[in-house]
Amino acid sequence: MTEATGDFLWPEERAGLRRASSRWWAFLALGVASAVVGVILMLDLVAAARTLALLVALGLVLTGLGELVSAGRYRSTLGIVAGAVLLVGGVLAVLWPGITLWVLAVVVGIDLIIAGVARIMGALSLRVEGWGWLLFGGVLSVAIGLAALVWPDATVLVLGLLLGIRMLLFGIAEIMFGLALHEVRNEV
């Protein structure tokens, strides 16, 4: 067996992961897209300041789609709930482009906390391949969401940087999960 799976056996309730392993490339592509958006947000803060609402919307939509694509990882509907909440947050950011920084910080903070808690619960309940990355991404989402709520008057640059960091690390987590699924697929 490979390092990715070790002595792990596939319980019946995790058959969805085996089926998802044929879509390992989708997780990899989503991870790359999310990481690229994260790097753009972190490196071009002037452009991020001018278009933060749209960039936040894009980040929330990509993250929401990622949660929906990966919903099979979770025992219940936690992934679907997290994905739907993130998608709604993204749509709200597009519909109200003149939203104030304070409201934007609250919306992003709440979205990231809910998605992070769902990701943490999924990681801890299943402990599938890559569960440590899922846990890490969930804890990071909660921490950044709390920071957005605690400091709602933070500047657009800081919020763009925090979201960029979150997007980059989410992308890395999805890339690692996609690669782990690819290894599992090659074993099956």
Side-chain angles (χ1 to χ4, degrees):
M1 298 218 150
T2 69
E3 285 183 32
T5 57
D7 294 325
F8 185 81
L9 300 175
W10 290 98
E12 288 179 28
E13 67 268 13
R14 297 186 190 154
L17 282 175
R18 185 177 289 157
R19 286 190 304 274
S21 69
S22 66
R23 294 186 316 266
W24 67 271
W25 57 269
F27 295 101
L28 184 67
L30 177 67
V32 170
S34 296
V36 166
V37 169
V39 169
I40 290 170
L41 283 171
M42 292 186 316
L43 295 179
D44 195 353
L45 294 178
V46 173
R50 286 186 299 226
T51 59
L52 185 60
L54 293 176
L55 292 172
V56 166
L58 176 62
L60 291 172
V61 167
L62 283 174
T63 306
L65 289 174
E67 292 293 342
L68 291 174
V69 166
S70 62
R73 287 189 246 180
Y74 304 112
R75 187 182 309 266
S76 66
T77 59
L78 292 173
I80 294 171
V81 169
V85 167
L86 288 163
L87 283 173
V88 167
V91 169
L92 289 175
V94 168
L95 292 178
W96 296 334
I99 197 167
T100 65
L101 181 59
W102 183 84
V103 172
L104 185 58
V106 170
V107 168
V108 169
I110 290 169
D111 274 355
L112 291 175
I113 290 169
I114 293 171
V117 168
R119 187 171 271 250
I120 290 168
M121 291 173 66
L124 293 176
S125 68
L126 291 181
R127 297 196 188 236
V128 297
E129 277 71 35
W131 77 272
W133 287 104
L134 295 174
L135 180 66
F136 176 73
V139 169
L140 184 69
S141 288
V142 169
I144 292 174
L146 287 172
L149 291 178
V150 170
W151 297 306
D153 295 330
T155 67
V156 172
L157 298 178
V158 171
L159 189 56
L161 181 63
L162 290 175
L163 185 63
I165 292 168
R166 197 276 184 195
M167 289 295 298
L168 175 63
L169 294 175
F170 171 81
I172 291 169
E174 290 300 300
I175 289 167
M176 298 306 293
F177 185 73
L179 293 174
L181 279 180
H182 182 60
E183 279 191 43
V184 168
R185 181 172 186 249
N186 288 337
E187 290 178 5
V188 175

